[in-house]
Amino acid sequence: MISPTVKLNSGHQMPLVGFGLWKVNNDTCADTVYNAIKTGYRLFDGACDYGNEVEAGQGVARAITEKLVSRDELFIVSKLWNSFHDHDRVEPICKKQLSDWGIDHFDLYIVHFPISLKYVDPSERYPPGFTFDGMKVVPGNATIQETWTAMESLVDKGLTKSIGISNFNGQLIMDLLRYAKIVPATLQIEHHPYLTQEGLIQLAQANNMAVTAYSSFGPQSFLELEMQRAKDTPLLFNNKTVKIIADKHGKSPAQVLLRWATQRNIAVIPKSNNQSRLLQNLDVTSFDLSKSELEEISGLNQHLRFNDPLNYGVDQPIYV
């Protein structure tokens, strides 16, 4: 089973269902990626901050060597971390990440957060995380315009086919569109029934940006981080509305949550180490929810955000 695709404003096709590499352990990452490719996944969503790009690349290399897939059939995504927003830092770190993956270009390279932090030399600590010295968060001086201009040059140099943004709010997007020579191909945001962000999605789609949802299962993604907000929130998998709809369609609650997004042309990037769930998560475009079912799920919105730097004790209040 292969995911259908959505056409980006850059002209390239992006799978509507991909595999997210956040929190995939280093010791299992290569096998996880290889098995996901074998199962039918073609989009892999990585990042500097995930700290597993070398291993992800090993999984890709193995699949290509065994002729399970060609590089052209894959859609590999990575992200620019906050410590590398200065114009002259963008290209070198992108090249390092390409080297880690063992490829010569990304299909999509994304600004991970609209946050500029002081540069940390990769030879000293990599990935650097939010802190400059392992303890203190030190802001950088790069503007979004400076960073975006450098991102555009990556496209010109063939280092990535498309560029995008993540965790941006509406005001930042409106500002970026005033100077961007290349409009972001995608906007990646936290999106689940507890945080629907309809207005932000409408803004992005109205400006021809594809939207990708991360943390589609809401609090489930954050339990292993021991986040109190996630612990205090009822699981969407156990939600009565979601379970009734899932039973009606003969699908799992996870499939219903993913279909709620993909049916509205929002890409998803779930992950799983379980083979049956890998298959289920890929099978989220073969059935349709009714209009009333979509509305019922959207009605669960609580404006409840989990992936906020403040929730990790990082004083970067980008969502206030």
Side-chain angles (χ1 to χ4, degrees):
M1 180 181 297
I2 303 296
S3 167
T5 62
V6 58
K7 188 174 183 179
L8 303 180
N9 62 28
S10 58
H12 300 288
Q13 297 286 339
M14 181 181 79
L16 198 58
V17 182
F19 189 95
L21 293 168
W22 181 45
K23 298 191 278 90
V24 175
N25 293 337
N26 294 77
D27 58 347
T28 59
C29 186
D31 286 341
T32 296
V33 169
Y34 173 82
N35 289 330
I37 291 173
K38 207 170 183 179
T39 302
Y41 287 84
R42 295 296 178 261
L43 184 152
F44 291 88
D45 182 84
C48 155
D49 191 53
Y50 302 165
N52 56 14
E53 293 192 295
V54 170
E55 293 81 3
Q58 291 168 351
V60 166
R62 179 182 168 196
I64 292 175
T65 298
E66 295 184 12
K67 301 189 185 306
L68 296 180
V69 71
S70 68
R71 171 65 184 92
D72 290 344
E73 293 175 288
L74 295 175
F75 194 99
I76 297 178
V77 183
S78 192
K79 304 180 188 73
L80 175 77
W81 185 243
N82 311 330
S83 309
F84 309 106
H85 275 215
D86 294 335
H87 190 282
D88 61 347
R89 305 295 188 187
V90 173
E91 183 178 332
I93 200 62
C94 178
K95 287 181 174 178
K96 173 185 166 33
Q97 291 176 258
L98 287 169
S99 176
D100 286 348
W101 275 92
I103 57 178
D104 62 5
H105 72 275
F106 289 119
D107 294 280
L108 175 63
Y109 195 59
I110 295 172
V111 178
H112 203 152
F113 279 98
I115 298 172
S116 171
L117 297 178
K118 188 173 180 180
Y119 174 71
V120 176
D121 192 317
S123 66
E124 295 180 9
R125 192 174 75 254
Y126 188 87
F130 274 100
T131 63
F132 173 67
D133 54 3
M135 296 177 61
K136 188 176 180 182
V137 177
V138 181
N141 296 315
T143 64
I144 297 297
Q145 183 170 6
E146 176 183 342
T147 303
W148 191 251
T149 300
M151 293 284 288
E152 291 173 328
S153 73
L154 301 179
V155 178
D156 296 337
K157 294 176 181 180
L159 297 177
T160 184
K161 291 183 176 180
S162 303
I163 50 177
I165 53 179
S166 181
N167 301 306
F168 276 52
N169 63 24
Q171 184 179 11
L172 283 175
I173 292 171
M174 292 171 67
D175 185 63
L176 186 152
L177 291 174
R178 288 184 171 91
Y179 54 75
K181 294 179 181 177
I182 299 177
V183 173
T186 65
L187 168 67
Q188 188 173 124
I189 56 171
E190 181 179 346
H191 179 63
H192 46 75
Y194 289 152
L195 183 68
T196 55
Q197 304 204 78
E198 290 99 335
L200 184 59
I201 290 169
Q202 290 169 6
L203 173 65
Q205 292 179 338
N207 284 280
N208 202 23
M209 290 180 230
V211 176
T212 297
Y214 67 76
S215 299
S216 295
F217 305 142
Q220 185 74 33
S221 303
F222 299 89
L223 288 176
E224 62 193 87
L225 301 179
E226 298 294 323
M227 183 180 289
Q228 193 60 47
R229 175 171 287 200
K231 291 179 180 180
D232 294 340
T233 304
L235 294 180
L236 282 164
F237 290 164
N238 298 332
N239 180 273
K240 182 178 178 181
T241 297
V242 174
K243 289 178 72 174
I244 288 174
I245 294 172
D247 290 343
K248 178 181 175 182
H249 290 272
K251 300 293 182 180
S252 70
Q255 286 175 300
V256 166
L257 293 170
L258 295 173
R259 185 56 178 148
W260 170 73
T262 61
Q263 193 167 325
R264 293 176 296 121
N265 216 32
I266 296 171
V268 292
I269 45 172
K271 78 174 179 74
S272 178
N273 294 321
N274 179 284
Q275 185 61 33
S276 64
R277 285 196 293 271
L278 268 178
L279 284 165
Q280 287 180 358
N281 290 347
L282 197 55
D283 180 24
V284 291
T285 58
S286 64
F287 66 99
D288 287 333
L289 304 176
S290 68
K291 184 173 183 290
S292 63
E293 288 170 336
L294 291 171
E295 290 173 349
E296 281 184 73
I297 296 171
S298 295
L300 300 174
N301 185 36
Q302 298 179 22
H303 306 287
L304 185 57
R305 187 185 305 277
F306 298 99
N307 194 38
D308 184 334
L310 296 179
N311 290 342
Y312 304 108
V314 176
D315 187 20
Q316 294 291 300
I318 60 175
Y319 295 117
V320 297

